[in-house]
Amino acid sequence: MSLLLDDVTLTYPDGDGRLTALDAVGLSVPAGSLTAVVGPSGSGKSSLLAVAATLVTPDRGRVLVDGVDTSALDPAGRAALRLGRVGIVFQQPNLLPSLTAVEQLLVMAHMAGRGVGDAHGRAMELLEAVGLGGQAGRRPHQLSGGQRQRVNIARALMNEPAVLLVDEPTSALDHERGAAVLDLLAALTRERGTATVLVTHDEAHLHLADTVVTVRDGRVSAGCRAA
């Protein structure tokens, strides 16, 4: 099991009390599967992703990433785990404007201490996988919105993560480009064997997921198989 949230509760200060963002959440995502997370705005979806990414430490419960209990790690250990075992695809690509598509990926490898030669080959292979092999030398302003999001996905996969966390990747795309990005994520999940969690508002494409869970008032429904 590549991602496991076990009885996770997260609260935030709220005046004189605490606001519960996640309430005894349990979620398990096997390797090679895609779990879609849906729910109304403010329901706790973003908090779930932040906890799964080890960006936020819950008040109670455990988060296991690729078998590692993250509660046993100090901040430096969690940062190292994120760099090596967790890929994050943000809602906005946030690409570095001065770097080419391939350089966006090489930065990730450099941060992880990987050799430049091997990293360049992997970066090119990933850009080919997302349909951008011919765009490796282009900078963000030379790419369409859909292409930038594909670079974002390739970048998240650069260090061979066990877990891939994706936050509303189609929010800035039209229907056709959004559908293509979701198709790509589903295919890469199976090909790369990642445990993928996709927060999405696009319920028209939930059939691509292996499991769909709903977050409401900080609680996660029992996962169901997508139709």
Side-chain angles (χ1 to χ4, degrees):
M1 202 65 63
S2 281
L3 177 66
L4 175 67
L5 276 63
D6 178 25
D7 194 30
V8 168
T9 294
L10 175 67
T11 65
Y12 295 110
D14 183 31
D16 294 331
R18 309 264 319 166
L19 175 68
T20 299
L22 297 175
D23 187 2
V25 165
L27 179 67
S28 123
V29 185
S33 72
L34 190 157
T35 292
V37 179
V38 298
S41 178
S43 61
K45 302 188 302 296
S46 294
S47 293
L48 187 151
L49 275 191
V51 167
T54 75
L55 294 168
V56 175
T57 302
D59 300 50
R60 187 182 72 238
R62 300 185 305 151
V63 178
L64 275 70
V65 174
D66 201 25
V68 176
D69 187 345
T70 62
S71 64
L73 301 176
D74 61 15
R78 288 193 294 273
L81 181 78
R82 279 195 299 276
L83 183 59
R85 306 306 292 149
V86 180
I88 304 175
V89 179
F90 296 102
Q91 190 172 129
Q92 298 296 329
N94 297 320
L95 301 177
L96 297 169
S98 63
L99 299 186
T100 65
V102 70
E103 289 168 346
Q104 307 283 343
L105 277 63
L106 292 175
V107 165
M108 296 299 295
H110 176 73
M111 291 172 63
R114 305 181 78 162
V116 174
D118 291 343
H120 190 274
R122 176 164 175 77
M124 290 302 300
E125 185 262 331
L126 281 169
L127 288 175
E128 289 284 354
V130 301
L132 292 178
Q135 311 297 325
R138 291 183 177 268
R139 290 179 170 80
H141 74 276
Q142 299 172 306
L143 301 172
S144 69
Q147 288 173 329
R148 288 193 293 271
Q149 193 60 286
R150 286 169 178 260
V151 174
N152 193 20
I153 292 166
R155 180 176 62 180
L157 292 168
M158 185 62 192
N159 290 335
E160 303 179 77
V163 172
L164 184 64
L165 305 173
V166 188
D167 186 15
E168 299 278 14
T170 64
S171 62
L173 303 177
D174 62 31
H175 178 78
E176 182 178 351
R177 289 183 176 86
V181 164
L182 293 177
D183 283 336
L184 175 64
L185 280 168
L188 289 173
T189 292
R190 289 156 182 76
E191 290 169 10
R192 308 280 161 172
T194 59
T196 300
V197 178
L198 167 68
V199 168
T200 182
H201 66 282
D202 191 348
E203 299 193 6
H205 296 92
L206 293 181
H207 64 280
L208 296 171
D210 298 288
T211 304
V212 179
V213 300
T214 300
V215 181
R216 195 176 298 276
D217 297 327
R219 296 183 179 180
V220 172
S221 68
C224 61
R225 295 284 300 180

